[in-house]
Amino acid sequence: MYGKLHGACLYGIDGVLIEVETDLSNGLPQTAIIGLPDSAIREAVERVRAAIKNCGFKYPSQRVTINLAPADLRKEGSSFDFAIALGLLTTSGQVVLPAGERTLFIGELALDGSIRPVNGVLSMVDLAKREGFHSVLLPEENAGEARLITGIRIYAVRHLMDLIPAKNHGQYAIEGQSKDPNSNYLSDLINDELTNQVTNQVTNQVTNQVIKKSNDPAPIPVSNQAENHDQGKRITARQQIIIHAYDHLPQADQIPMGEVKEIIDAMEDYSDVLGQLHAKRALVIAAAGMHNIVLIGPPGAGKTMLIRRLPSILPPLTEKEALEVTKIYSAAGKWKESSPHLMNIRPFRSPHHTISAAGLVGGGGIPKPGEISLAHRGILFLDELPEFSRHVLEVLRQPLEDRNVTISRSRAVFKYPAHFLLAASMNPCHCGFFGSDTQHQRCTCSPAAVARYRSRISGPLLDRIDLQLEVSQPKDWREEKESLSSAEMRRQVLAAQAIQIHRYSKLPFSWNSELSGQMLRKYAVLEHNAAELLDQTMDALGLSMRAYDRILKLSRTIADLNQSEKITMSHVAEAIQYRNMDRAHASFSEE
């Protein structure tokens, strides 16, 4: 006896369809799961055995072989429990599933038959839709998340016995005689406890009735289902339970792609920050082109306050970006079921400086997305940058260039997206007052101590940060009546973004910070005097070619903010002033 159902698991953050094949043969009663399962899947045997027994079914007392195909792909997690249990029940003739439906089964089983939620459902359902599946049966707790994918039927299941409503309602729902007027299916529980009268009544009607589905083009005969399932061997009514979940389980209306809420208006506003117009201008440039930025200044200058308000001026996620981000949070188990829509607000992640390299880039025995992937399409804020471990900071170099991170393990290689805006803050020295001495506060660090402090950030990492801005204590802030608000800054950002969307509409990217190679030379053409200024600056500051390209990208964004197609000398001059830390870092390193 052979049966096959479909389950799914996660591979990184992507879903993978798995065929759950079940074979029953003569021999000593034992169960073997093959196909590179992990320990959680091997333990599924005991969970499934207990769930089947506690739901009134009989676990096959034969030699059971369960194969998870493809066999060369390592499978992890507990999402196969539901498919394995139904596979055993269908193969042993205790359950007959509707024919003609491609259905995906996802869920972990409790010992009493309850269906528990799993992570990564969004990616699995999205893949099932693209592979042509008609419906998905999954835990009720995951239903809201799964319904974010339109175009496929989603059914929520709380318990294994939810597929058999007759037992739950104390009745035997026979088509044409069901007390439920909405029932269009035959769902009978036939066992030895039934009286002969009920058994005979059901047996006679099984041979004459057909299972109908409200939206099926043609009815499906019960006898055909039994024959197809058992390869020609007749299954009597006493041996079978026919589950037609597609008419019984609740199917809510698909939730459309949510519009942007007014969450941005509830965020902290830049109007709270008095002064610091120079820093606000730099943050507008960073948000308009998704450029990395670091703020350097003494304690209390407002560095953290400025960066924490950066999400309030960022444009909302596009539909494609929202699906990418929500998949990551679903795979990481951080999706909030209370939200009825895909994530629309760009993520803001601010890990503590004690974080490990694995916590930042991802990893673990079963690799999970790290902070840089959770910040995908959003902001990764590293407060007090030099306090982070040098090793942790250096792992950022490759993701900042490639916009993804690859985690290699002996058994698999996982690739996570990591396209984020790096925002950081730092003091100029250990005491924090270097270069900003006042009558009451003076720097107590020696030049060597300052150099050691700044050397915690390597030159290659600093080279990858587009805007390096020194922030001083604000002056005359008491006289300022009105401060630049987030709404005004956001209008500038959205206007610049609209230009970029139009310019790169036929290209696989949409931000100036993503320009490279030939595309950079094509879209960031400098006027003659602007090119001369940049060449002179390269020689004077000893900038690298990477810094040269980043100045070009910044100049392109500044020109877009000024609604200018040409990049002029003023645009280049403003971009150059944000690279002063290159020279300062070089001078301290020499000392």
Side-chain angles (χ1 to χ4, degrees), residues 71-268:
D72 60 344
L73 179 69
R74 184 169 292 275
K75 292 85 178 176
E76 298 173 336
S78 57
S79 60
F80 298 110
D81 291 10
F82 193 15
I84 291 174
L86 285 180
L88 288 172
L89 293 176
T90 56
T91 307
S92 61
Q94 301 178 71
V95 165
V96 177
L97 296 177
E101 284 281 340
R102 292 194 71 195
T103 305
L104 181 66
F105 299 92
I106 304 172
E108 176 187 331
L109 276 179
L111 299 185
D112 64 348
S114 300
I115 312 296
R116 289 173 173 165
V118 296
N119 295 334
V121 163
L122 191 66
S123 298
M124 302 178 197
V125 176
D126 182 50
L127 178 62
K129 175 190 173 183
R130 289 187 274 114
E131 292 293 331
F133 279 73
H134 302 107
S135 54
V136 181
L137 271 69
L138 42 69
E140 186 178 43
E141 290 85 347
N142 293 130
E145 175 184 345
R147 290 188 179 113
L148 297 175
I149 304 298
T150 58
I152 185 170
R153 293 191 297 273
I154 304 298
Y155 299 96
V157 185
R158 290 177 296 179
H159 196 279
L160 195 59
M161 297 307 296
D162 283 352
L163 300 176
I164 309 169
K167 183 172 183 178
N168 295 338
H169 293 86
Q171 62 179 2
Y172 299 95
I174 301 174
E175 184 180 14
Q177 298 184 7
S178 173
K179 297 179 181 179
D180 185 356
N182 296 322
S183 295
N184 297 320
Y185 57 90
L186 180 64
S187 180
D188 299 280
L189 181 64
I190 309 298
N191 53 41
D192 294 334
E193 297 177 1
L194 292 176
T195 63
N196 292 332
Q197 180 180 0
V198 174
T199 302
N200 293 334
Q201 177 187 12
V202 173
T203 303
N204 292 334
Q205 295 201 30
V206 165
T207 58
N208 297 321
Q209 297 294 333
V210 296
I211 300 179
K212 296 180 181 178
K213 184 180 175 186
S214 58
N215 56 353
D216 276 344
I220 306 171
V222 174
S223 59
N224 289 346
Q225 290 192 44
E227 291 172 1
N228 292 337
H229 169 70
D230 206 18
Q231 299 180 353
K233 180 181 177 182
R234 182 87 174 173
I235 297 179
T236 65
R238 182 180 293 273
Q239 295 174 315
Q240 72 177 354
I241 301 169
I242 299 177
I243 299 179
H244 207 298
Y246 312 108
D247 288 319
H248 167 63
L249 296 176
Q251 180 185 4
D253 295 334
Q254 296 290 351
I255 300 174
M257 177 67 64
E259 298 181 354
V260 178
K261 300 179 180 180
E262 297 300 324
I263 298 178
I264 295 178
D265 295 336
M267 293 181 178
E268 295 178 320

Side-chain angles (χ1 to χ4, degrees), residues 394-407:
E394 291 306 300
V395 300
L396 289 172
R397 288 161 58 174
Q398 180 262 337
L400 286 173
E401 290 291 328
D402 298 340
R403 298 184 176 88
N404 59 67
V405 59
T406 302
I407 300 175

